[in-house]
Amino acid sequence: MRRSTPFLLAVCTAVAVGVVGCTSDVPGASPSAGPSGAGTGETSKFFVQADHDNELALRTKSATGPADKPWEQALDPKTVDTAKYKKAGPYHLCFSNAGVGNPWRQVGFKNMQAEVKLHPEIKTFTVADAESKDDKQISDITDLLGKGCDALIVSPNTTATLTPAVEQACAKVPVIVFDRGVNTKCPVTFINPIGGYAFGATGAEFLVEKVKPKGKILALRILPGVDVLEARWGAAKVVFDKSDLDVVGVEFTDGDAAKTKTIVSNYLQRFGDIDGIWMDAGATAVAAAEAFEDAGKPFPAIVGEDQQDFLKMWQDKKLTAIAPTYPTYQWRTPVIAALKILNGEAVASPWKLPQPTITQDNLGQYVQADMPPLHYAMCGCATLPGYPKDWGGK
């Protein structure tokens, strides 16, 4: 139900907009990215075989929870007791956000803000935007801990660098981490969909199925050092290393459409043809595909994501494509989890959400002509207050 009491939103810093902008725990090239034309390179230090195997197994498991609310569902849940955190409301909920530097995060943050409005027991929602800077997020967390937060939600900018700040917070308030992880078990729960290994493997397996043996594959990554992105590439590397495909390059795009198009154009000039494009995030998938159009080349088999511009291009141009997803509906779950914790209710830890895949068979269900190009289909936001207008829709 919609809230009927006044709602206070305190924003600690201005919201940044633009293309992907986040820093990395690993300076320079990632150890998992080999030089152009040298195959898949070395295995990333982030790769954990047991986590990889677990995520791939979760792809075939059924979730528990409301059938029409995947953001409240959990896969193979193991719950933790939260009785020690129980307290009476109203509540002051705080959120340390890595940033809103790309469309995925912008859609997700709108989801979170709307979810908060559903809960009148949240009197104050204080948000600190780190603007994709590790040092600022560390400072933000310290600042939030002095503001009387009843619970703290954290979406870390990078993994290792933010771990000490999260551990500091855990000593004072219940902490919920989501989206990107940290190297500590101190948060009450860590919320995300199945994860990066499942995303990366799904896309790579599709290319193995659709591209002829010895076909040339170009892997496009955003940046190194973020656990979920490293996991995506780590799983894809496993698939490619077992295949007959030729990975001719692994390149970082910084999530920039112009840079993505330039990289793809350069590879087409160098190799003549590229048969498949694998991406660790689909925000620039349209730019990658457009490089083939500009060069007068046939579209390759391509891995995108659930962004509307890609889904519409896929449908209109009849691409050979797949869209693994990292659903933005996950931005609703930390608010729900925080309230459960403050009510002393058990929560799943970790809290693994379903991670659907868009294929040719179900593409039509997710193309939304009334939503903007940079909107993500898996937002789970259609019933939220302000939809579709607040998400840029008609």
Side-chain angles (χ1 to χ4, degrees):
M1 58 180 291
R2 298 195 182 193
R3 52 180 301 110
S4 56
T5 57
F7 169 71
L8 172 63
L9 171 63
V11 181
C12 296
T13 64
V15 174
V17 295
V19 199
V20 169
C22 52
T23 58
S24 164
D25 286 328
V26 183
S30 164
S32 63
S36 299
T40 61
E42 298 178 359
T43 299
S44 168
K45 68 177 185 179
F46 285 82
F47 187 83
V48 179
Q49 187 70 52
D51 293 344
H52 167 274
D53 296 348
N54 180 59
E55 285 192 18
L56 267 56
L58 283 175
R59 292 187 297 177
T60 59
K61 291 198 173 183
S62 299
T64 62
D68 59 342
K69 297 178 179 179
W71 52 90
E72 294 185 21
Q73 295 176 10
L75 290 160
D76 198 17
K78 296 175 178 60
T79 61
V80 293
D81 183 79
T82 67
K84 66 180 179 180
Y85 301 114
K86 185 175 182 179
K87 64 190 301 184
Y91 301 117
H92 179 186
L93 190 59
C94 296
F95 175 38
S96 172
N97 190 8
V100 287
N102 62 61
W104 185 89
R105 302 193 69 82
Q106 291 158 19
V107 171
F109 186 49
K110 288 184 176 71
N111 291 355
M112 179 178 283
Q113 291 172 298
E115 179 65 38
V116 167
K117 292 178 182 178
L118 296 177
H119 303 282
E121 64 270 38
I122 301 174
K123 183 179 180 180
T124 307
F125 182 44
T126 302
V127 180
D129 187 321
E131 300 171 1
S132 304
K133 300 172 184 175
D134 284 345
D135 55 351
K136 186 175 186 308
Q137 188 165 30
I138 292 168
S139 176
D140 286 345
I141 290 173
T142 300
D143 183 58
L144 287 170
L145 292 176
K147 292 185 178 293
C149 306
D150 293 309
L152 175 64
I153 297 169
V154 181
S155 178
N157 187 51
T158 59
T159 301
T161 306
L162 267 296
T163 296
V166 170
E167 290 177 327
Q168 175 192 9
C170 287
K172 297 185 178 182
V173 295
V175 175
I176 301 96
V177 173
F178 83 102
D179 169 31
R180 303 164 177 172
V182 285
N183 296 328
T184 177
K185 300 295 186 182
C186 79
V188 181
T189 187
F190 171 46
I191 299 165
N192 71 339
I194 296 175
Y197 293 116
F199 184 110
T202 296
E205 289 164 355
F206 174 80
L207 294 180
V208 170
E209 177 187 346
K210 296 296 183 181
V211 177
K212 62 187 179 184
K214 308 300 181 184
K216 300 181 184 69
I217 304 297
L218 174 59
L220 299 176
R221 304 182 55 194
I222 296 179
L223 78 170
V226 174
D227 61 347
V228 65
L229 300 178
E230 290 286 351
R232 291 177 185 182
W233 172 239
K237 171 180 164 54
V238 170
V239 174
F240 290 140
D241 285 350
K242 293 177 179 178
S243 77
D244 292 327
L245 300 181
D246 180 13
V247 178
V248 296
V250 183
E251 300 287 351
F252 291 106
T253 69
D254 299 325
D256 180 83
K259 184 174 181 179
T260 298
K261 186 177 282 191
T262 297
I263 289 170
V264 175
S265 297
N266 289 343
Y267 270 79
L268 286 171
Q269 291 175 11
R270 179 179 174 185
F271 291 98
D273 291 297
I274 297 294
D275 303 296
I277 296 285
W278 179 92
M279 305 186 78
D280 69 357
T284 61
V286 169
E290 287 175 344
F292 286 83
E293 272 191 315
D294 294 347
K297 298 285 187 179
F299 290 115
I302 187 169
V303 178
E305 209 168 344
D306 57 318
Q307 201 166 302
Q308 286 301 315
D309 60 350
F310 176 70
L311 300 183
K312 291 172 183 174
M313 184 183 199
W314 176 357
Q315 188 176 66
D316 293 345
K317 303 286 186 178
K318 304 187 185 310
L319 303 181
T320 299
I322 195 169
T325 71
Y326 199 60
T328 52
Y329 59 59
Q330 71 182 280
W331 288 68
R332 301 183 63 172
T333 314
V335 176
I336 295 167
L339 293 176
K340 284 181 175 292
I341 291 165
L342 292 172
N343 283 321
E345 300 175 29
V347 296
S349 182
W351 191 327
K352 284 289 185 182
L353 300 165
Q355 186 168 303
T357 298
I358 300 176
T359 67
Q360 184 62 48
D361 291 339
N362 62 13
L363 174 62
Q365 300 174 29
Y366 297 104
V367 175
Q368 300 165 309
D370 58 342
M371 297 305 290
L374 303 184
H375 181 71
Y376 282 79
M378 297 288 178
C379 74
C381 54
T383 60
L384 285 172
Y387 182 88
K389 183 178 179 182
D390 290 352
W391 284 259
K394 299 177 182 177

